[in-house]
Amino acid sequence: MDEFKTRLEKIESILQFYLPKKASPQWAYLSFENLDQHINASHFENLITPCENLISLGGKRWRPLLAVFCAELAAEAKTADSRIVAERTEMAYKLCPLIEFAHTASLIHDDIEDSTGERRGKPAAHITYGIDVALNAASWLYFQAATCIRNSSMSDKEKANLYELFLLEMRRLHLGQAIDIKWHRNKSFVPTADEYMAMVKNKTGTLARLATKIGILAGGGTAEEAEKCGAIAEEIGMGFQILDDVTNLTTGNPGKRRGDDIVEGKKSLPVITHLQNHPDDMDKIAQLFEQAEKEGINSPAIEEAIALLEQSESIFEAKTRGGMIVLKNSNELAEFYGANGSEGERMIKLLFKKMMKD
């Protein structure tokens, strides 16, 4: 994302400030205030290292970028003063840890819950550091994310609103994950497409919604505007999850093996679509899922299941549906304050155009 290089560098510097490779006294005070004198830098390692290592492996950072662009979008709609626009956009940058730290924490927990061995091409955190360390570090990172609110120059009322927003979205995220776990534990149960969408709006859509609402509020938008934009972004997040489902069954997601969703028993949209159109395949799909779970990522059941989905064109159907959802809603979000050619509008459209190409 060369067009976003400067913005991404700024986001990275803020993430590193709140999650450094090594704990400094200043960082420790910001995060924990006064601690016993016998606490030293080495005691923070089991919190910092698993989380910082995963963040340093990369990621698209599209959600923090979305927050920044939404702040620009709202600020430009509210004022023609470029200085005020810059100040409000700066506030969105400073709140990026809320989004990216929550995302990172959820990935570590996801990998434990799904017994996933790899993440971003490297062993998952629980494989490298142990389940106990990974669980604790990821849980801590949800709370560490909120230190950026505490350290901001916002009013107490604004801070309180942001805390409430963040906590609400984290509760929703965990609800979505709870539903997903319930479904993939029961190999014979298949949700409807509408049930699947509802789950994804919480599990995946919530972080897009959080990023957008943070951006709109930081840019000077009203609570009502933030809520409306957040609902649009939730759809975008859902669209990208559908596309991720498709990628898992075609080329394989970056840093993961093709078809690992089948090993994990995930009821993705291609699977749901296939079974809605071919209900007689239910027993066959359930048997292939069970076989893949027992035999692991090299199980021949994975390719057999994918072949079934390809024959019915359910993978193609899901890809088309996901793409249309992203395209429609990204344009709606970019033009929320009108199609006026503002920088915020342009950057939101460019962000999702590039992501769709990638």
Side-chain angles (χ1 to χ4, degrees), residues 116-158:
T116 302
E118 289 188 3
R119 174 66 66 176
R120 294 175 179 165
K122 299 290 183 182
H126 67 282
I127 301 295
T128 301
Y129 303 102
I131 290 179
D132 52 354
V133 171
L135 269 175
N136 190 59
S139 297
W140 165 78
L141 193 58
Y142 283 118
F143 300 107
Q144 177 66 9
T147 56
C148 67
I149 299 177
R150 183 175 178 227
N151 197 39
S152 77
S153 59
M154 295 182 296
S155 68
D156 288 346
K157 183 178 179 180
E158 288 172 323

Side-chain angles (χ1 to χ4, degrees), residues 163-179:
Y163 279 125
E164 179 54 36
L165 167 61
F166 179 66
L167 292 172
L168 171 63
E169 299 301 349
M170 292 307 97
R171 293 194 294 270
R172 287 175 169 175
L173 184 150
H174 284 80
L175 170 62
Q177 182 69 352
I179 297 169

Side-chain angles (χ1 to χ4, degrees), residues 7 101 135 141 171 267 316:
R7 290 174 169 89
F101 287 1
L135 269 175
L141 193 58
R171 293 194 294 270
K267 307 298 168 51
F316 174 77

Side-chain angles (χ1 to χ4, degrees), residues 5 11 22 68 98 125-126 134-135 138 145 169 184 204 206-207 227 229 237 257 263 288 293 308 310 336 339 356:
K5 184 179 178 182
I11 288 169
K22 297 290 182 182
V68 171
L98 284 172
H126 67 282
L135 269 175
E169 299 301 349
H184 77 240
T204 307
T206 192
L207 290 173
E227 197 62 39
C229 288
R257 298 279 295 277
V263 176
L288 290 172
E293 182 183 34
L308 268 179
E310 287 175 335
F336 181 78
M356 290 293 287

Side-chain angles (χ1 to χ4, degrees), residues 57-252:
L57 288 176
K60 294 177 181 177
R61 306 285 194 264
W62 69 267
R63 297 171 187 86
L65 280 172
L66 179 59
V68 171
F69 297 153
C70 283
E72 289 186 78
L73 182 76
E76 289 166 337
K78 303 296 179 179
T79 179
D81 189 329
S82 59
R83 179 184 58 83
I84 295 176
V85 171
E87 287 175 356
R88 290 179 176 172
T89 303
E90 183 67 23
M91 180 59 70
Y93 277 112
K94 291 179 178 178
L95 296 173
C96 283
L98 284 172
I99 306 152
E100 200 63 23
F101 287 1
H103 176 54
T104 302
S106 73
L107 295 181
I108 295 174
H109 281 165
D110 252 6
D111 290 342
I112 295 170
E113 291 159 356
D114 296 339
S115 300
T116 302
E118 289 188 3
R119 174 66 66 176
R120 294 175 179 165
K122 299 290 183 182
H126 67 282
I127 301 295
T128 301
Y129 303 102
I131 290 179
D132 52 354
V133 171
L135 269 175
N136 190 59
S139 297
W140 165 78
L141 193 58
Y142 283 118
F143 300 107
Q144 177 66 9
T147 56
C148 67
I149 299 177
R150 183 175 178 227
N151 197 39
S152 77
S153 59
M154 295 182 296
S155 68
D156 288 346
K157 183 178 179 180
E158 288 172 323
K159 288 181 180 181
N161 288 339
L162 262 181
Y163 279 125
E164 179 54 36
L165 167 61
F166 179 66
L167 292 172
L168 171 63
E169 299 301 349
M170 292 307 97
R171 293 194 294 270
R172 287 175 169 175
L173 184 150
H174 284 80
L175 170 62
Q177 182 69 352
I179 297 169
D180 194 27
I181 291 170
K182 180 179 176 67
W183 289 346
H184 77 240
R185 280 189 172 187
N186 184 349
K187 300 293 185 293
S188 63
F189 175 77
V190 179
T192 66
D194 286 341
E195 287 172 329
Y196 168 84
M197 301 289 190
M199 180 275 290
V200 171
K201 284 179 183 180
N202 285 285
K203 179 180 175 179
T204 307
T206 192
L207 290 173
R209 184 171 59 233
L210 174 65
T212 298
K213 290 168 80 170
I214 286 172
I216 295 296
L217 292 172
T222 65
E224 183 181 0
E225 289 167 350
E227 197 62 39
K228 288 179 179 178
C229 288
I232 298 169
E234 173 184 271
E235 296 284 331
I236 296 171
M238 181 180 69
F240 276 121
Q241 181 60 59
I242 293 171
L243 295 176
D244 276 352
D245 292 346
V246 169
T247 300
N248 184 277
L249 299 170
T250 52
T251 59

